[in-house]
Amino acid sequence: MSGAERRLGQLLLLLAAGHVALGLAMPFALPWMPGVLAQMPYAESAEAARFWSRVFGPTLAAWGMLAFFVVRHGVLRRERWGCDALILSVLCWAPLDAWLCGQAGFPAGIVLDAVVSAVILGPALWLRQRFPAAFY
């Protein structure tokens, strides 16, 4: 694995670990941040926002764990299936999540989706071109 490939793989690993950390912290940290809770979509009340942070936090952590596994056991071993899995998961998640953010009147979520998608898709697409073709 070349230096650039290794650095991009480590970036993807760090992003996955960040998803895990943020997802695990979300149910505990957000209830102590009333300003953030007030801006969350679907938050008619602080209690509703607490509920949604408890739902989305573990979901975000689980997605991060899956991405961590894919990067660790696929991308860092130069196996194309790892890049394919990351690319397809982002292409499934991002449009739906951006649409839901739009429906909820949460434009910051759309921007965040675009940024996270670009940061994951860019390296995954670049690495995919450099890894040997797989037959699956």
Side-chain angles (χ1 to χ4, degrees), residues 62-116:
W63 196 93
M65 285 301 300
L66 182 58
F68 191 90
F69 175 86
V70 167
V71 172
R72 179 91 168 106
H73 295 284
V75 175
L76 293 179
R77 292 181 180 171
R78 297 192 87 243
E79 295 181 9
R80 190 178 276 194
W81 70 264
C83 294
D84 291 344
L86 285 176
I87 293 164
L88 291 173
S89 65
V90 169
L91 292 178
C92 287
W93 157 78
L96 177 59
D97 197 67
W99 178 78
L100 289 171
C101 288
Q103 294 298 308
F106 189 54
I110 298 169
V111 172
L112 185 62
D113 288 345
V115 170
V116 170

Side-chain angles (χ1 to χ4, degrees), residues 10-133:
Q10 290 170 345
L11 171 68
L12 291 171
L13 205 59
L14 183 63
L15 287 170
H19 275 81
V20 174
L22 181 63
L24 292 176
M26 188 182 283
F28 302 105
L30 281 181
W32 303 107
M33 300 162 58
V36 173
L37 288 176
Q39 295 178 19
M40 288 181 69
Y42 305 113
E44 297 88 24
S45 68
E47 191 54 40
R50 284 185 192 91
F51 168 78
W52 287 111
S53 71
R54 291 175 185 143
V55 170
F56 290 123
T59 302
L60 184 63
W63 196 93
M65 285 301 300
L66 182 58
F68 191 90
F69 175 86
V70 167
V71 172
R72 179 91 168 106
H73 295 284
V75 175
L76 293 179
R77 292 181 180 171
R78 297 192 87 243
E79 295 181 9
R80 190 178 276 194
W81 70 264
C83 294
D84 291 344
L86 285 176
I87 293 164
L88 291 173
S89 65
V90 169
L91 292 178
C92 287
W93 157 78
L96 177 59
D97 197 67
W99 178 78
L100 289 171
C101 288
Q103 294 298 308
F106 189 54
I110 298 169
V111 172
L112 185 62
D113 288 345
V115 170
V116 170
S117 296
V119 171
I120 294 172
L121 286 175
L125 289 165
W126 190 83
L127 290 169
R128 186 182 188 282
Q129 294 175 4
R130 281 142 185 83
F131 293 171

